[in-house]
Every structure is written in structure tokens, then in C-alpha cells.
Amino acid sequence: MKKRVLLEVNALKTTFSTRAGPVTAVDGVSLTLNEGECLGVVGESGSGKSVTFASVMGLVRANGRIEEGEIRFMGRDLRAMSAEELRLVRGREIAMTMQDALTALNPSLRIDEQLAEMMEAHLDDLPVFGPARKRAIRDRSVEMLRLVGIPSPEARLQQYPHEFSGGMRQRIMIAIALACRPKLLIADEPTTALDVTIQAQVLDLISDLRRELGMSVVFITHDLGIVAEHCDRVMVMYAGQVVEEGETSEIIEQCRHPYTRALLASIPRPELRGQSLNPIPGNVPDLRDVTNECRFRSRCAYAVPACSRPVMMREIAPGRKTRCIRDGELA
């Protein structure tokens, strides 16, 4: 049975004003996410991953603006919504966890207060007044902490963020994000600053909750290893543009863009112990001064003179796209 489209973004362009001139951080990004699907969004820092989904959430910083494009969630045009309408979608239907749980959580509020704040703003099924409302919020808070694997949830609700480890703070962020049972969870670098063991626990937790709650997930990450293990599809971004997308297994086994190939080659693997790593040479282009040529050209081992002309995304197979004129030679 064909799955229903949950999120659709078409030709999104987001620009920031800076002292040095305008910077287009997201340039023509299009994507589709189906119900129940997990999409991995991969790329180096500054590739436009987080800004793309901040645009979806309506959370672009004050010096930024969405210049072009369409953002539709469950068929509704998010860009056409008022601030109040969009506020009701955020948290209730789309939730986002930020990169650093220590700074994302309010250090001066107990965990029960932070969970209650989310539920007060977005839940409609709570009792209207009095002790019954407080009891319902507390019961849901305990349920959420238990759901994300925090022991003794009743007692830990009374604690502050600094009393938890990094991994536990990530779990609390996930609990807050999922308190209203959203249809879409956007996890922005959910394993930042965590050790490898805790990383695996957090990622497995999100995957388990996705299956249990039937929600869609977007993993924003620089780590293709995470994508390979947890995501149905992958979208690779470079310098504000999408350069390759498709089923995760197909792209991992046979990528068709030199940047994706370079990312895969730079991943440390046990069988290469003792050998030198393969970093990508050169630097990401300055987005204040990009030209119409392929943006990866200066770092690409496959570059030819024709790469100095504009290179568009094109479909090379059903559900498979790339932005490279030599993709056939990488097959």
C-alpha cells in the first residue's frame, strides 16, 4: 500500500543578511517525507541541514528569511499560516530536538516544569481546571520519562538538568518533544558530545519510539554510519544544496555523487586500523560568493571543464536523484 506524504518541501530558499552581504544557506532544496519513514540528512557543518528544518519549523533567526519555496505538512501550507496557527503545529504535530541538550533545557527549571510547559501549550485532552489537570500532567510526565528509559521517573521529575548525565538529558529532550505524540520528530544531531555507548542507546531509543508511536523521523547528522543503521532514505547536502538522495542501502552500496563517495571514504573502519584516514581535500565554498558552477568542483577528483556550468538535480532511477554530470562513471 502506498504511504501518504507527510512533509513536502519544494524549491526552498533561505537567506541570511550579514555585514559581508547576503548568504543563501538553503538554495533550492526539495524533499518528500512519507508517514512512518525515517530520513537521514547528511553533510558537513554549514551544508544547510539544520537551516532547512528550522525553515520548516518557522524558526529561522531574525536576520534570516525564506525567500522562495513551498512547505506543506499533511497537505497544509505552513508558509501561509499565521504565527498562532504555526505555533499550534510546532510541538503538537512537529517536534524538534536541538543539538546540545545542556543548553536546550532551561537550567533554572525542574524537569516536571519543562514537561508541563509543553503539555500546557499543546495538549487539548487535559482536564480544564484544578487538581485534576495537575494530576493528569504529572501522570503524563511520569509516563514520558518511563517511555524514554529514565529510572525512578517520579523522583527525577523534581530534579534540574545539571543533575542528569549527557545521555539522560538527551532522553529528557526526547521526552519533551514526544509529550504531545507528534507525527514528525526532527532530531538535530541527537548524539552531539555523547560517548559511543550512549550514542547507540539514544539512537536505538528514537528508532524504537518511531516504531512504537508510528511517527516519522528526520535525523540531521554528519555521520553516514548513523544513517546506514537507522534511516530508510538519505538526502546528502553540500553548500546549501541537495547533491544526492535515494534509498539508504542503494546510496551506501553504490553512491553516484563524488561528495557522497568522499564522505563514505572518510569514515574510520576497523579493517583500516593503522592506515591513514582519507579526509576530503579543500574547503566548503564561501556561500556569500558562490557561482553557477558545481559547488563541489574545487574539491572533486572527477571535475572536468563542463562542471563550470550549472549542474541540476536529475532523476537517474525511480526515487534516486543526483547532482553530477559524471554520475554514470561512479556507478
Side-chain angles (χ1 to χ4, degrees), residues 239-254:
Q241 297 180 329
V242 179
V243 296
E244 185 165 12
E245 64 175 283
E247 297 289 331
T248 301
S249 58
E250 292 181 359
I251 287 182
I252 296 296
E253 293 169 9
Q254 194 176 65

Side-chain angles (χ1 to χ4, degrees), residues 267-277:
I267 298 174
R269 293 188 293 276
E271 65 269 22
L272 300 178
R273 186 182 300 274
Q275 299 182 31
S276 298
L277 296 177

Side-chain angles (χ1 to χ4, degrees), residues 164-183:
F164 292 82
S165 67
M168 286 295 181
R169 286 195 294 265
Q170 283 287 8
R171 288 171 183 264
I172 291 167
M173 278 186 56
I174 294 167
I176 293 172
L178 300 184
C180 299
R181 298 291 199 269
K183 295 178 174 63

Side-chain angles (χ1 to χ4, degrees), residues 5-78:
V5 173
L6 186 71
L7 174 68
E8 187 173 14
V9 177
N10 293 307
L12 179 67
K13 183 176 182 180
T14 302
T15 300
F16 292 87
S17 299
T18 71
R19 292 180 179 178
V23 173
T24 301
V26 177
D27 192 358
V29 169
S30 298
L31 66 94
T32 300
L33 180 70
N34 294 323
E35 287 185 335
E37 190 174 44
C38 184
L39 173 69
V41 183
V42 185
E44 295 169 273
S45 297
S47 62
K49 308 183 301 297
S50 296
V51 177
T52 295
F53 289 92
S55 301
V56 169
M57 296 285 286
L59 296 175
V60 177
R61 295 197 306 270
N63 65 326
R65 65 186 183 280
I66 299 174
E67 292 195 346
E68 300 173 9
E70 183 182 44
I71 305 170
R72 302 190 74 85
F73 180 74
M74 298 182 65
R76 292 169 290 169
D77 185 353
L78 297 188

